[in-house]
Amino acid sequence: MELKIETYIPFRDEDKTIKDFSERLVKELLNHSSDIKIPLDDFGSANIEIQIVDKQKLKDLVLNYPAYFKSNDSKILHFCSNINFELIYDFSKQLREIPKEEINRGLLAEIYIKRFINFIYFTQLAIPGSLNTNKGLILKDGIYFRDFERMDSCLIGIAYDDNIEWPFVKFIKITTVWEYILNKTNILENQSINNIENGLNAFTHLFNNSNESVYNLFWAMSGIEALYAEGEIGIGYQIDSKAKLFLGEPNENKKVLKKLYSFRSKFLHGSMSIPINSGWIPKNEVDEYHNDFYQMEYLATRLLTSTLQKIVDKNMNSFKFEFKLSE
């Protein structure tokens, strides 16, 4: 039996910097059309064909789905998987009115879409800051199935950064990242079981909440502490010393990580001055509060991204530190 899943994703190009990063992602995706494999559990796997929507196809989309597409959309990618599958599950005793084929087809579509979105998230470990899309749509056998929700990344700040501040990020191949996820982890099928998987799963929460600095800082710090901290004693010291050992020394501000952990601790333990929600107080005080959060969010997300990039690039099976006595 066959199932066809198509996803149309419009990329935003609000300014030249964002557009350059988005085009880098688009180019990398097109280079790997048919090379990306989506695991589908008992149903096997499916490859994705990726193409840019041409002008004629765009006209058809605008005509049929005017709420999703506009004639001036600059880049829309079409992802398509034709999946051949066998009937695996039979719930006919409980759901006699639903044909077995439809049960399997529906379950397969749900698995595919979840895994496809997982793949899209991890493109940001390869090209951080390049995921900025408008709402798209997903077709199942040529018929509207559901929305592809607009995606924003709090890593967008990297697009405006000349990468002169520690910790440094870089670009790696999408296939390098995805093959690591498929071959070195089990996070697509099960909950995380080690610190690398905890860090990777925390990373996937840095999307669709680009304006929520508190939320993003929480998840970034969760991933950082999972990777660098053991136990509950001296967490700030562990992060500071281990991150510098793994990523190298900061080029200027040597105490930047201590400031990050101090900020995090004050916020979580209630010793930080915070503005009332929806209050009327001097705007400069609120701006200072949000600016501090943004700066710490930016540092934390860069640190998590940089660490995971190096782990993936080095194809590491584990991420542990130990003290040794010099002889």
Side-chain angles (χ1 to χ4, degrees):
M1 300 189 177
E2 292 186 355
L3 173 66
K4 183 176 183 179
I5 301 289
E6 299 171 88
T7 306
Y8 291 91
I9 304 179
F11 285 81
R12 302 201 308 274
D13 56 352
E14 296 161 348
D15 59 38
K16 185 179 184 305
T17 303
I18 294 178
K19 182 178 179 180
D20 289 345
F21 266 59
S22 294
E23 287 184 347
R24 184 186 288 265
L25 174 60
V26 168
K27 182 178 179 180
E28 178 79 358
L29 286 168
L30 291 172
N31 285 341
H32 294 292
S33 177
S34 301
D35 294 339
I36 303 299
K37 181 182 294 185
I38 302 295
L40 300 171
D41 296 347
D42 293 336
F43 290 106
S45 63
N47 285 39
I48 311 175
E49 294 182 6
I50 309 169
Q51 296 178 323
I52 288 183
V53 170
D54 60 28
K55 292 182 178 180
Q56 181 55 52
K57 183 61 178 178
L58 177 56
K59 288 181 180 179
D60 295 339
L61 290 173
V62 172
L63 179 63
N64 294 315
Y65 304 100
Y68 294 84
F69 304 103
K70 300 177 182 178
S71 58
N72 61 349
D73 279 336
S74 58
K75 285 284 192 307
I76 300 175
L77 282 191
H78 175 224
F79 301 81
C80 180
S81 290
N82 291 292
I83 310 167
N84 293 307
F85 70 98
E86 301 292 333
L87 297 180
I88 302 294
Y89 298 100
D90 185 4
F91 302 110
S92 57
K93 293 181 181 179
Q94 294 82 13
L95 304 169
R96 295 183 183 278
E97 70 279 7
I98 303 177
K100 182 177 179 180
E101 178 181 342
E102 288 306 308
I103 292 175
N104 281 258
R105 188 179 296 276
L107 181 58
L108 176 55
E110 292 294 337
I111 296 173
Y112 176 91
I113 291 168
K114 293 292 186 183
R115 297 282 165 74
F116 175 77
I117 293 174
N118 294 155
F119 165 71
I120 295 296
Y121 286 157
F122 283 116
T123 65
Q124 295 312 282
L125 206 49
I127 309 175
S130 59
L131 185 60
N132 301 279
T133 78
N134 288 320
K135 182 171 68 174
L137 59 80
I138 302 170
L139 304 181
K140 176 184 171 187
D141 289 329
I143 301 173
Y144 171 83
F145 186 54
R146 66 177 55 172
D147 290 357
F148 179 88
E149 298 298 335
R150 170 181 168 131
M151 284 194 175
D152 297 286
S153 166
C154 66
L155 303 178
I156 188 63
I158 294 173
Y160 296 98
D161 188 352
D162 292 329
N163 209 29
I164 59 175
E165 293 183 6
W166 186 94
F168 306 110
V169 296
K170 60 181 181 179
F171 297 129
I172 55 181
K173 290 183 178 181
I174 288 175
T175 49
T176 299
V177 174
W178 192 236
E179 286 171 8
Y180 184 91
I181 300 301
L182 295 180
N183 300 324
K184 294 287 187 177
T185 79
N186 293 298
I187 58 177
L188 299 182
E189 296 89 11
N190 297 294
Q191 294 187 50
S192 54
I193 59 172
N194 57 44
N195 62 342
I196 292 178
E197 292 188 355
N198 282 337
L200 288 166
N201 282 352
F203 179 83
T204 65
H205 288 272
L206 299 179
F207 308 95
N208 298 332
N209 293 280
S210 62
N211 295 320
E212 297 292 337
S213 291
V214 176
Y215 181 94
N216 295 325
L217 178 60
F218 169 83
W219 280 111
M221 288 304 303
S222 177
I224 290 167
E225 291 187 26
L227 290 165
Y228 287 114
E230 287 188 59
E232 299 180 357
I233 299 175
I235 294 177
Y237 172 77
Q238 291 187 65
I239 294 172
D240 183 68
S241 57
K242 292 176 182 178
K244 290 175 181 176
L245 179 64
F246 187 59
L247 300 174
E249 288 284 336
N251 48 356
E252 292 183 0
N253 188 352
K254 305 295 183 181
K255 297 182 179 180
V256 63
L257 293 184
K258 292 180 179 178
K259 180 180 179 181
L260 171 63
Y261 189 74
S262 175
F263 185 90
R264 170 262 190 207
S265 297
K266 287 180 180 179
F267 177 73
L268 289 182
H269 297 305
S271 59
M272 176 185 292
S273 295
I274 58 177
I276 188 172
N277 188 24
S278 301
W280 185 266
I281 60 176
K283 187 175 185 297
N284 61 318
E285 293 185 15
V286 179
D287 288 344
E288 182 179 355
Y289 167 80
H290 287 296
N291 184 61
D292 287 345
F293 250 111
Y294 173 75
Q295 294 298 325
M296 293 300 101
E297 172 204 12
Y298 180 58
L299 173 59
T301 53
R302 280 174 62 92
L303 177 57
L304 178 59
T305 302
S306 179
T307 301
L308 291 173
Q309 280 189 331
K310 190 168 183 178
I311 289 172
V312 169
D313 207 29
K314 292 171 69 69
N315 202 32
M316 298 174 69
N317 292 308
S318 63
F319 189 67
K320 296 181 179 180
F321 296 81
E322 59 183 26
F323 289 103
K324 288 187 177 182
L325 178 66
S326 299
E327 298 181 358

